[in-house]
Protein backbone atom coordinates (compact mmCIF):
# COMPACT_ATOMS: atom_id res chain seq x y z
CA UNK A 1 0.00 0.00 0.00
CA UNK A 2 1.26 3.49 -0.83
CA UNK A 3 2.51 5.69 1.99
CA UNK A 4 -0.26 8.28 2.39
CA UNK A 5 2.27 10.81 3.69
CA UNK A 6 3.96 10.83 0.27
CA UNK A 7 0.78 11.53 -1.67
CA UNK A 8 0.54 14.91 -3.44
CA UNK A 9 -1.72 17.56 -1.98
CA UNK A 10 -3.52 17.73 -5.31
CA UNK A 11 -3.19 14.77 -7.67
CA UNK A 12 -3.14 14.73 -11.46
CA UNK A 13 -6.66 13.31 -11.64
CA UNK A 14 -7.93 16.04 -9.30
CA UNK A 15 -6.37 18.74 -11.45
CA UNK A 16 -7.81 17.16 -14.58
CA UNK A 17 -11.25 16.78 -12.99
CA UNK A 18 -11.34 20.44 -12.00
CA UNK A 19 -10.23 21.39 -15.49
CA UNK A 20 -13.16 19.45 -16.93
CA UNK A 21 -15.62 21.15 -14.59
CA UNK A 22 -14.29 24.56 -15.65
CA UNK A 23 -14.00 23.77 -19.37
CA UNK A 24 -16.20 25.51 -21.91
CA UNK A 25 -15.58 23.59 -25.14
CA UNK A 26 -18.62 25.13 -26.79
CA UNK A 27 -16.67 28.39 -26.93
CA UNK A 28 -14.08 26.81 -29.20
CA UNK A 29 -14.78 27.82 -32.81
CA UNK A 30 -13.88 24.34 -34.06
CA UNK A 31 -15.94 22.28 -31.62
CA UNK A 32 -19.15 21.97 -33.59
CA UNK A 33 -17.52 21.20 -36.93
CA UNK A 34 -15.11 18.67 -35.43
CA UNK A 35 -17.86 16.97 -33.45
CA UNK A 36 -20.02 16.71 -36.54
CA UNK A 37 -17.19 15.20 -38.59
CA UNK A 38 -16.42 12.68 -35.86
CA UNK A 39 -20.05 11.63 -35.42
CA UNK A 40 -20.55 11.35 -39.19
CA UNK A 41 -17.46 9.20 -39.65
CA UNK A 42 -18.16 6.82 -36.77
CA UNK A 43 -21.81 6.33 -37.73
CA UNK A 44 -20.91 5.44 -41.31
CA UNK A 45 -18.15 3.01 -40.37
CA UNK A 46 -20.36 1.25 -37.80
CA UNK A 47 -23.05 0.80 -40.44
CA UNK A 48 -20.50 -0.52 -42.94
CA UNK A 49 -19.55 -3.23 -40.43
CA UNK A 50 -23.05 -4.10 -39.26
CA UNK A 51 -23.24 -7.47 -41.03
CA UNK A 52 -19.75 -8.58 -40.02
CA UNK A 53 -19.53 -11.73 -37.88
CA UNK A 54 -17.67 -9.99 -35.05
CA UNK A 55 -20.54 -7.49 -34.69
CA UNK A 56 -23.13 -10.27 -34.59
CA UNK A 57 -21.02 -12.10 -32.01
CA UNK A 58 -21.06 -9.02 -29.78
CA UNK A 59 -24.82 -8.68 -30.10
CA UNK A 60 -25.43 -12.34 -29.39
CA UNK A 61 -23.25 -12.20 -26.28
CA UNK A 62 -25.37 -9.46 -24.69
CA UNK A 63 -28.60 -10.19 -22.82
CA UNK A 64 -29.79 -6.77 -21.69
CA UNK A 65 -31.98 -4.67 -23.97
CA UNK A 66 -32.59 -1.01 -23.30
CA UNK A 67 -33.17 2.47 -24.74
CA UNK A 68 -29.91 2.96 -26.66
CA UNK A 69 -29.32 2.78 -30.40
CA UNK A 70 -26.97 0.33 -32.11
CA UNK A 71 -26.10 1.71 -35.54
CA UNK A 72 -27.55 -0.44 -38.30
CA UNK A 73 -29.57 -2.76 -36.05
CA UNK A 74 -33.18 -2.81 -34.90
CA UNK A 75 -32.30 -4.13 -31.47
CA UNK A 76 -31.70 -1.51 -28.77
CA UNK A 77 -29.51 -2.13 -25.75
CA UNK A 78 -28.65 -0.75 -22.36
CA UNK A 79 -26.07 2.01 -22.27
CA UNK A 80 -23.10 -0.26 -21.65
CA UNK A 81 -24.14 -2.77 -24.30
CA UNK A 82 -24.78 -0.12 -26.96
CA UNK A 83 -21.46 1.58 -26.22
CA UNK A 84 -19.70 -1.77 -26.49
CA UNK A 85 -21.26 -2.86 -29.79
CA UNK A 86 -21.02 0.53 -31.49
CA UNK A 87 -17.41 0.94 -30.40
CA UNK A 88 -16.50 -2.53 -31.63
CA UNK A 89 -18.32 -2.13 -34.95
CA UNK A 90 -16.86 1.29 -35.67
CA UNK A 91 -13.29 0.11 -35.03
CA UNK A 92 -13.64 -3.30 -36.62
CA UNK A 93 -12.46 -2.31 -40.09
CA UNK A 94 -9.74 0.08 -38.84
CA UNK A 95 -11.27 2.89 -40.87
CA UNK A 96 -11.83 5.29 -37.95
CA UNK A 97 -10.14 8.55 -36.99
CA UNK A 98 -6.65 8.88 -35.53
CA UNK A 99 -4.81 11.42 -33.44
CA UNK A 100 -1.33 11.67 -34.91
CA UNK A 101 0.36 12.49 -31.62
CA UNK A 102 -0.52 9.06 -30.26
CA UNK A 103 -1.55 7.31 -32.28
CA UNK A 104 -4.90 6.88 -30.60
CA UNK A 105 -8.43 6.44 -31.97
CA UNK A 106 -10.64 8.88 -30.06
CA UNK A 107 -13.92 8.98 -31.95
CA UNK A 108 -14.47 5.25 -31.83
CA UNK A 109 -14.52 5.35 -28.02
CA UNK A 110 -16.03 8.75 -27.35
CA UNK A 111 -18.92 8.76 -29.84
CA UNK A 112 -20.32 5.37 -28.71
CA UNK A 113 -19.85 6.26 -25.03
CA UNK A 114 -21.53 9.65 -25.36
CA UNK A 115 -24.34 8.52 -27.66
CA UNK A 116 -25.28 5.78 -25.21
CA UNK A 117 -25.08 8.18 -22.28
CA UNK A 118 -27.14 10.83 -24.05
CA UNK A 119 -29.90 8.40 -25.02
CA UNK A 120 -29.94 6.72 -21.60
CA UNK A 121 -30.07 9.98 -19.63
CA UNK A 122 -32.10 12.14 -22.00
CA UNK A 123 -29.33 14.64 -22.69
CA UNK A 124 -29.50 17.53 -25.12
CA UNK A 125 -27.42 17.92 -28.24
CA UNK A 126 -25.41 20.62 -26.48
CA UNK A 127 -24.54 18.20 -23.67
CA UNK A 128 -23.66 15.58 -26.28
CA UNK A 129 -21.24 17.96 -28.01
CA UNK A 130 -19.69 19.02 -24.70
CA UNK A 131 -19.01 15.38 -23.87
CA UNK A 132 -17.55 14.61 -27.29
CA UNK A 133 -15.17 17.57 -27.05
CA UNK A 134 -13.94 16.92 -23.52
CA UNK A 135 -13.67 13.16 -23.95
CA UNK A 136 -11.70 13.35 -27.17
CA UNK A 137 -9.49 16.10 -25.75
CA UNK A 138 -8.53 14.07 -22.68
CA UNK A 139 -7.88 10.95 -24.72
CA UNK A 140 -5.58 12.83 -27.09
CA UNK A 141 -3.76 14.68 -24.32
CA UNK A 142 -2.96 11.47 -22.46
CA UNK A 143 -0.73 10.55 -25.41
CA UNK A 144 1.68 13.34 -24.43
CA UNK A 145 2.54 11.83 -21.04
CA UNK A 146 4.77 8.98 -22.22
CA UNK A 147 4.82 8.93 -26.05
CA UNK A 148 5.09 5.47 -27.69
CA UNK A 149 5.71 3.70 -24.37
CA UNK A 150 2.27 2.10 -24.05
CA UNK A 151 2.61 0.45 -27.46
CA UNK A 152 6.16 -0.65 -26.69
CA UNK A 153 4.96 -2.26 -23.46
CA UNK A 154 2.56 -4.42 -25.48
CA UNK A 155 -0.69 -2.53 -24.91
CA UNK A 156 -3.10 -0.70 -27.20
CA UNK A 157 -3.21 3.03 -26.31
CA UNK A 158 -6.79 3.37 -27.54
CA UNK A 159 -7.85 0.68 -25.10
CA UNK A 160 -5.88 2.08 -22.16
CA UNK A 161 -6.52 5.80 -22.63
CA UNK A 162 -10.02 5.27 -24.00
CA UNK A 163 -11.53 4.45 -20.62
CA UNK A 164 -10.28 7.77 -19.22
CA UNK A 165 -11.48 9.69 -22.26
CA UNK A 166 -14.90 8.09 -21.88
CA UNK A 167 -14.99 9.01 -18.18
CA UNK A 168 -14.05 12.60 -19.00
CA UNK A 169 -16.63 12.93 -21.76
CA UNK A 170 -19.47 11.26 -19.89
CA UNK A 171 -18.67 13.21 -16.74
CA UNK A 172 -18.64 16.48 -18.69
CA UNK A 173 -21.94 15.70 -20.42
CA UNK A 174 -23.60 14.79 -17.12
CA UNK A 175 -22.09 17.89 -15.45
CA UNK A 176 -20.40 15.94 -12.66
CA UNK A 177 -18.43 17.73 -9.98
CA UNK A 178 -14.70 17.35 -9.46
CA UNK A 179 -14.92 14.71 -6.71
CA UNK A 180 -17.02 12.12 -8.56
CA UNK A 181 -14.90 12.71 -11.66
CA UNK A 182 -11.75 12.06 -9.64
CA UNK A 183 -13.24 8.85 -8.29
CA UNK A 184 -14.35 7.79 -11.76
CA UNK A 185 -10.82 8.24 -13.09
CA UNK A 186 -9.53 6.14 -10.21
CA UNK A 187 -12.05 3.40 -10.93
CA UNK A 188 -11.23 3.53 -14.65
CA UNK A 189 -7.64 2.57 -13.91
CA UNK A 190 -8.84 -0.86 -12.84
CA UNK A 191 -11.04 -1.24 -15.92
CA UNK A 192 -8.35 -0.40 -18.49
CA UNK A 193 -7.12 -3.28 -20.62
CA UNK A 194 -6.09 -4.25 -24.12
CA UNK A 195 -3.01 -6.17 -25.27
CA UNK A 196 -1.77 -6.16 -28.88
CA UNK A 197 -1.18 -9.89 -29.31
CA UNK A 198 -3.81 -9.83 -32.09
CA UNK A 199 -0.86 -8.85 -34.28
CA UNK A 200 0.33 -12.46 -34.17
CA UNK A 201 -2.56 -13.93 -36.13
CA UNK A 202 -5.07 -11.25 -37.11
CA UNK A 203 -7.62 -12.34 -34.51
CA UNK A 204 -10.47 -10.08 -33.45
CA UNK A 205 -9.54 -8.68 -30.05
CA UNK A 206 -8.31 -5.26 -31.19
CA UNK A 207 -11.78 -4.67 -32.59
CA UNK A 208 -13.39 -4.82 -29.16
CA UNK A 209 -10.91 -2.52 -27.40
CA UNK A 210 -12.79 0.75 -28.06
CA UNK A 211 -16.14 -0.82 -27.22
CA UNK A 212 -14.75 -2.17 -23.97
CA UNK A 213 -13.27 1.24 -23.14
CA UNK A 214 -16.55 3.01 -23.91
CA UNK A 215 -18.65 0.70 -21.74
CA UNK A 216 -16.06 0.69 -18.96
CA UNK A 217 -15.98 4.47 -18.87
CA UNK A 218 -19.74 4.52 -18.46
CA UNK A 219 -19.58 1.95 -15.66
CA UNK A 220 -16.83 3.88 -13.86
CA UNK A 221 -18.89 7.08 -13.94
CA UNK A 222 -22.05 5.38 -12.71
CA UNK A 223 -20.14 3.80 -9.83
CA UNK A 224 -18.60 7.13 -8.87
CA UNK A 225 -21.99 8.84 -9.02
CA UNK A 226 -23.26 6.61 -6.22
CA UNK A 227 -20.21 7.01 -4.02
CA UNK A 228 -17.77 4.29 -5.11
CA UNK A 229 -14.21 5.46 -4.45
CA UNK A 230 -11.15 5.23 -6.69
CA UNK A 231 -7.49 6.16 -6.07
CA UNK A 232 -6.81 9.81 -6.84
CA UNK A 233 -3.21 9.01 -7.84
CA UNK A 234 -4.37 6.66 -10.59
CA UNK A 235 -2.13 8.39 -13.16
CA UNK A 236 1.10 9.21 -11.34
CA UNK A 237 1.04 6.67 -8.51
CA UNK A 238 3.72 4.04 -8.00
CA UNK A 239 1.12 1.43 -8.96
CA UNK A 240 -0.74 3.68 -11.36
CA UNK A 241 -1.68 3.52 -15.01
CA UNK A 242 1.61 4.65 -16.51
CA UNK A 243 3.62 2.32 -14.29
CA UNK A 244 1.35 -0.57 -15.24
CA UNK A 245 0.86 0.09 -18.95
CA UNK A 246 3.92 2.13 -19.98
CA UNK A 247 6.59 0.81 -17.58
CA UNK A 248 7.43 4.32 -16.42
CA UNK A 249 7.03 6.66 -13.47
CA UNK A 250 8.52 9.57 -15.40
CA UNK A 251 5.49 10.70 -17.34
CA UNK A 252 5.24 14.33 -18.42
CA UNK A 253 1.88 15.19 -16.90
CA UNK A 254 2.36 18.90 -17.41
CA UNK A 255 2.37 18.26 -21.16
CA UNK A 256 -1.07 16.73 -20.73
CA UNK A 257 -2.48 19.46 -18.49
CA UNK A 258 -0.89 22.54 -20.03
CA UNK A 259 -3.57 24.79 -21.49
CA UNK A 260 -6.38 22.32 -20.79
CA UNK A 261 -9.72 24.00 -21.39
CA UNK A 262 -8.07 26.88 -23.25
CA UNK A 263 -6.05 25.29 -26.04
CA UNK A 264 -8.01 22.51 -27.74
CA UNK A 265 -6.05 19.86 -29.65
CA UNK A 266 -8.86 17.47 -30.58
CA UNK A 267 -9.75 19.45 -33.76
CA UNK A 268 -6.46 18.07 -35.11
CA UNK A 269 -7.88 14.54 -35.20
CA UNK A 270 -7.36 12.95 -38.62
CA UNK A 271 -9.92 11.05 -40.68
CA UNK A 272 -8.82 8.08 -42.74
CA UNK A 273 -9.16 7.63 -46.50
CA UNK A 274 -7.95 4.01 -46.31
CA UNK A 275 -9.27 1.06 -44.28
CA UNK A 276 -6.08 0.08 -42.48
CA UNK A 277 -3.56 1.14 -39.86
CA UNK A 278 -2.83 4.85 -40.11
CA UNK A 279 0.93 4.58 -40.42
CA UNK A 280 0.40 2.53 -43.60
CA UNK A 281 -1.36 5.42 -45.32
CA UNK A 282 1.59 7.52 -46.55
CA UNK A 283 3.13 4.35 -47.99
CA UNK A 284 -0.12 3.65 -49.83
CA UNK A 285 -0.07 7.13 -51.35
CA UNK A 286 3.53 6.63 -52.49
CA UNK A 287 2.69 3.22 -53.95
CA UNK A 288 -0.31 4.64 -55.79
CA UNK A 289 1.94 7.28 -57.33
CA UNK A 290 4.18 4.52 -58.64
CA UNK A 291 1.14 2.66 -59.91
CA UNK A 292 0.16 5.67 -62.00
CA UNK A 293 3.29 5.14 -64.10
CA UNK A 294 1.54 2.16 -65.66
CA UNK A 295 4.59 -0.10 -65.53
CA UNK A 296 4.32 -3.88 -65.60
CA UNK A 297 4.37 -5.15 -61.97
CA UNK A 298 6.35 -8.17 -63.22
CA UNK A 299 9.23 -5.76 -63.90
CA UNK A 300 9.58 -4.94 -60.19
CA UNK A 301 12.69 -6.51 -58.69
CA UNK A 302 12.52 -5.03 -55.18
CA UNK A 303 10.75 -2.41 -53.09
CA UNK A 304 12.49 -0.78 -50.15
CA UNK A 305 10.79 1.52 -47.64
CA UNK A 306 12.26 3.73 -44.95
CA UNK A 307 10.45 3.19 -41.65
CA UNK A 308 10.34 4.58 -38.12
CA UNK A 309 11.73 2.28 -35.45
CA UNK A 310 8.61 2.83 -33.35
CA UNK A 311 6.29 1.09 -35.81
CA UNK A 312 8.40 -1.94 -36.73
CA UNK A 313 6.83 -4.30 -34.19
CA UNK A 314 3.32 -3.53 -35.41
CA UNK A 315 3.61 -2.99 -39.16
CA UNK A 316 6.82 -4.68 -40.32
CA UNK A 317 7.81 -7.55 -38.05
CA UNK A 318 7.95 -10.47 -38.28
CA UNK A 319 8.63 -9.59 -41.90
CA UNK A 320 7.62 -12.94 -43.39
CA UNK A 321 4.22 -12.70 -41.68
CA UNK A 322 3.69 -9.12 -42.83
CA UNK A 323 4.60 -10.07 -46.40
CA UNK A 324 1.96 -12.80 -46.39
CA UNK A 325 -0.72 -11.95 -43.79
CA UNK A 326 -3.07 -14.81 -42.88
CA UNK A 327 -6.31 -12.86 -43.32
CA UNK A 328 -7.78 -9.48 -44.15
CA UNK A 329 -7.61 -8.16 -40.63
CA UNK A 330 -3.93 -9.03 -40.24
CA UNK A 331 -3.29 -7.32 -43.58
CA UNK A 332 -4.56 -4.03 -42.15
CA UNK A 333 -1.39 -3.86 -40.05
CA UNK A 334 1.10 -4.72 -42.79
CA UNK A 335 2.99 -2.13 -44.84
CA UNK A 336 4.23 -4.76 -47.34
CA UNK A 337 0.64 -5.75 -48.10
CA UNK A 338 -0.51 -2.11 -48.23
CA UNK A 339 2.19 -1.21 -50.74
CA UNK A 340 1.49 -4.25 -52.91
CA UNK A 341 -2.29 -3.86 -52.99
CA UNK A 342 -2.02 -0.13 -53.70
CA UNK A 343 0.23 -0.80 -56.69
CA UNK A 344 -1.88 -3.63 -58.09
CA UNK A 345 -5.40 -2.40 -57.29
CA UNK A 346 -4.88 1.34 -56.94
CA UNK A 347 -6.66 1.62 -53.59
CA UNK A 348 -6.82 0.31 -50.02
CA UNK A 349 -10.51 0.49 -49.20
CA UNK A 350 -12.78 -1.99 -47.47
CA UNK A 351 -12.78 -4.32 -50.46
CA UNK A 352 -8.98 -4.51 -50.60
CA UNK A 353 -8.98 -6.17 -47.17
CA UNK A 354 -11.36 -9.00 -47.95
CA UNK A 355 -9.81 -12.36 -47.08
CA UNK A 356 -9.97 -13.52 -50.70
CA UNK A 357 -8.12 -10.46 -51.99
CA UNK A 358 -5.41 -10.86 -49.35
CA UNK A 359 -4.73 -14.36 -50.67
CA UNK A 360 -4.38 -13.19 -54.30
CA UNK A 361 -1.10 -14.80 -55.50
CA UNK A 362 -0.08 -11.68 -57.41
CA UNK A 363 -0.46 -9.47 -54.32
CA UNK A 364 1.36 -11.95 -52.10
CA UNK A 365 4.22 -12.26 -54.59
CA UNK A 366 4.65 -8.49 -54.79
CA UNK A 367 4.37 -8.03 -51.02
CA UNK A 368 7.25 -10.48 -50.59
CA UNK A 369 9.45 -8.04 -52.50
CA UNK A 370 8.76 -5.24 -49.98
CA UNK A 371 11.40 -4.72 -47.27
CA UNK A 372 12.44 -1.87 -45.00
CA UNK A 373 15.38 0.05 -43.58
CA UNK A 374 15.16 2.02 -40.34
CA UNK A 375 15.19 5.80 -40.68
CA UNK A 376 16.61 7.12 -37.38
CA UNK A 377 15.47 10.66 -38.22
CA UNK A 378 11.84 9.72 -38.80
CA UNK A 379 9.54 12.14 -36.89
CA UNK A 380 7.08 9.45 -35.70
CA UNK A 381 4.86 9.78 -33.65
CA UNK A 382 4.58 13.53 -34.23
CA UNK A 383 4.18 12.94 -37.94
CA UNK A 384 3.42 9.92 -40.13
CA UNK A 385 5.52 9.69 -43.30
CA UNK A 386 5.90 7.38 -46.27
CA UNK A 387 8.70 6.30 -48.59
CA UNK A 388 8.74 3.76 -51.42
CA UNK A 389 11.79 3.00 -53.58
CA UNK A 390 11.03 0.63 -56.45
CA UNK A 391 13.91 -1.02 -58.28
CA UNK A 392 13.05 -2.58 -61.63
CA UNK A 393 14.65 -5.62 -63.20
CA UNK A 394 16.45 -3.37 -65.70
CA UNK A 395 18.06 -1.44 -62.83
CA UNK A 396 15.93 1.68 -63.08
CA UNK A 397 14.77 3.16 -59.76
CA UNK A 398 11.57 5.07 -59.00
CA UNK A 399 11.40 6.72 -55.58
CA UNK A 400 8.51 8.47 -53.85
CA UNK A 401 8.26 10.28 -50.52
CA UNK A 402 5.40 11.79 -48.58
CA UNK A 403 5.90 13.73 -45.37
CA UNK A 404 2.30 13.48 -44.19
CA UNK A 405 -0.67 11.19 -44.45
CA UNK A 406 -3.75 12.23 -46.36
CA UNK A 407 -6.48 12.97 -43.87
CA UNK A 408 -4.04 14.29 -41.26
CA UNK A 409 -3.48 17.84 -40.07
CA UNK A 410 -1.21 18.68 -43.01
CA UNK A 411 -3.61 17.34 -45.63
CA UNK A 412 -7.10 16.98 -44.07
CA UNK A 413 -10.05 15.41 -45.81
CA UNK A 414 -12.56 18.05 -46.82
CA UNK A 415 -16.17 17.93 -45.70
CA UNK A 416 -17.23 16.76 -49.16
CA UNK A 417 -14.69 13.92 -49.06
CA UNK A 418 -15.83 12.86 -45.60
CA UNK A 419 -19.46 12.94 -46.70
CA UNK A 420 -18.65 10.74 -49.69
CA UNK A 421 -16.86 8.33 -47.36
CA UNK A 422 -19.94 8.25 -45.11
CA UNK A 423 -22.26 7.58 -48.05
CA UNK A 424 -19.99 4.84 -49.40
CA UNK A 425 -19.83 3.20 -45.97
CA UNK A 426 -23.61 3.31 -45.62
CA UNK A 427 -23.98 1.74 -49.07
CA UNK A 428 -21.44 -0.94 -48.14
CA UNK A 429 -23.59 -1.69 -45.09
CA UNK A 430 -26.74 -2.02 -47.20
CA UNK A 431 -28.48 1.31 -46.62
CA UNK A 432 -30.41 2.84 -49.50
CA UNK A 433 -29.33 6.34 -50.59
CA UNK A 434 -32.48 7.88 -49.09
CA UNK A 435 -31.74 6.23 -45.74
CA UNK A 436 -28.17 7.46 -45.61
CA UNK A 437 -29.30 10.95 -46.62
CA UNK A 438 -31.85 11.00 -43.79
CA UNK A 439 -29.20 9.89 -41.29
CA UNK A 440 -26.86 12.58 -42.60
CA UNK A 441 -29.51 15.24 -42.01
CA UNK A 442 -30.12 13.90 -38.49
CA UNK A 443 -26.41 14.09 -37.72
CA UNK A 444 -26.27 17.66 -39.01
CA UNK A 445 -29.03 18.63 -36.56
CA UNK A 446 -27.86 16.50 -33.62
CA UNK A 447 -26.18 19.23 -31.57
CA UNK A 448 -29.25 21.48 -31.77
CA UNK A 449 -31.67 18.84 -30.52
CA UNK A 450 -33.43 19.12 -27.17
CA UNK A 451 -32.96 15.38 -26.68
CA UNK A 452 -30.50 13.13 -28.49
CA UNK A 453 -32.32 10.22 -30.13
CA UNK A 454 -31.04 8.10 -33.01
CA UNK A 455 -33.70 5.40 -32.63
CA UNK A 456 -35.45 6.34 -35.91
CA UNK A 457 -32.41 4.89 -37.66
CA UNK A 458 -32.41 1.53 -35.89
CA UNK A 459 -33.14 -1.16 -38.47
Amino acid sequence: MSDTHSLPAVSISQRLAQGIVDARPEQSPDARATGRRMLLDIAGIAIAARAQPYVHACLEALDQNGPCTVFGHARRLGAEGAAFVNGTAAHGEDFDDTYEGGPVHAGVVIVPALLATAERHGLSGADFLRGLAVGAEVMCRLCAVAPTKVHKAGFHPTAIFGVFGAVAGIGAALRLGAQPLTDAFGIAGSLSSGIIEYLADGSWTKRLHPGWAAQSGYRAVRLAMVGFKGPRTVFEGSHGVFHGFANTLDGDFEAMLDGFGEKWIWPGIAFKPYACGTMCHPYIDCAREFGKLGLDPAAIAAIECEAAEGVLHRLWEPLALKQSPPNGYAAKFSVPYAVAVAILRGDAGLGEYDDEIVKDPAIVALARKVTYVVDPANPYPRQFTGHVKVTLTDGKVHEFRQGYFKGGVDHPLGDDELTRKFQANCAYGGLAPAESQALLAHIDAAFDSAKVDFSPFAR
Side-chain angles (χ1 to χ4, degrees), residues 49 78 80-82 125 134 155 170 175 181 199 205 222 280 282 285 298 371-372 423 430:
E80 288 170 88
V134 171
F155 298 101
I170 294 167
R175 311 282 174 163
L181 266 171
L199 291 168
T205 50
R222 291 299 302 273
C280 295
D285 287 331
T371 60
Y372 72 90
Q423 292 168 335

Side-chain angles (χ1 to χ4, degrees), residues 91-171:
H91 190 54
E93 297 306 310
D94 228 77
F95 211 0
D96 49 301
D97 61 73
T98 298
Y99 174 63
E100 288 180 83
V104 73
H105 304 277
V108 78
V109 176
I110 305 305
V111 170
L114 267 296
L115 177 60
T117 300
E119 290 189 324
R120 166 64 179 81
H121 295 272
L123 301 184
S124 69
D127 292 328
F128 185 29
L129 176 58
R130 173 179 169 80
L132 291 179
V134 171
E137 182 74 12
V138 167
M139 200 167 164
C140 293
R141 281 176 170 267
L142 280 165
C143 298
V145 176
T148 75
K149 289 188 177 180
V150 172
H151 255 145
K152 287 182 178 179
F155 298 101
H156 187 198
T158 297
I160 306 307
F161 298 150
V163 187
F164 299 101
V167 163
I170 294 167

Side-chain angles (χ1 to χ4, degrees), residues 194-387:
I195 61 173
I196 59 175
E197 186 59 19
Y198 60 84
L199 291 168
D201 57 8
S203 49
W204 293 358
T205 50
K206 181 178 186 284
R207 289 169 157 145
L208 65 78
H209 289 172
W212 185 264
Q215 72 160 22
S216 297
Y218 181 80
R219 176 50 54 203
V221 168
R222 291 299 302 273
L223 284 167
M225 288 173 68
V226 295
F228 203 100
K229 301 299 180 185
R232 64 186 180 91
T233 51
V234 63
F235 293 120
E236 74 273 34
S238 59
H239 303 291
V241 169
F242 285 92
H243 175 265
F245 293 112
N247 295 329
T248 185
L249 290 174
D250 298 322
D252 186 357
F253 294 103
E254 294 308 314
M256 177 183 75
L257 294 169
D258 182 45
F260 185 85
E262 298 174 0
K263 178 184 178 182
W264 296 90
I265 64 173
W266 77 293
I269 284 172
F271 296 90
K272 290 183 178 182
Y274 305 124
C276 59
T278 315
M279 284 76 72
C280 295
H281 289 212
Y283 293 95
I284 292 169
D285 287 331
C286 291
R288 292 181 73 185
E289 287 302 308
F290 171 78
K292 291 176 183 178
L293 298 177
L295 301 176
D296 183 358
I300 297 174
I303 301 175
E304 183 181 86
C305 302
E306 294 175 0
E309 187 277 333
V311 305
L312 299 184
H313 70 294
R314 302 196 307 282
L315 303 179
W316 285 102
E317 291 292 350
L319 185 58
L321 177 66
K322 298 301 183 181
Q323 290 172 331
S324 182
N327 53 50
Y329 195 58
K332 290 176 180 288
F333 312 104
S334 162
V335 175
Y337 177 82
V339 169
V341 79
I343 290 173
L344 293 177
R345 291 176 61 92
D347 203 356
L350 291 171
E352 276 66 46
Y353 289 92
D354 286 344
D355 286 348
E356 290 185 7
I357 300 300
V358 170
K359 297 297 184 182
D360 184 326
I363 296 175
V364 173
L366 185 55
R368 285 177 173 155
K369 297 179 181 180
V370 182
T371 60
Y372 72 90
V373 293
V374 175
D375 173 15
N378 191 285
Y380 174 84
R382 291 181 293 102
Q383 193 172 1
F384 302 160
T385 64
H387 166 259

Side-chain angles (χ1 to χ4, degrees), residues 435-457:
E435 292 176 301
S436 63
Q437 193 61 34
L439 177 55
L440 175 61
H442 194 77
I443 289 169
D444 285 340
F447 302 139
D448 295 318
S449 62
K451 184 177 179 181
V452 174
D453 180 13
F454 276 75
S455 63
F457 301 95

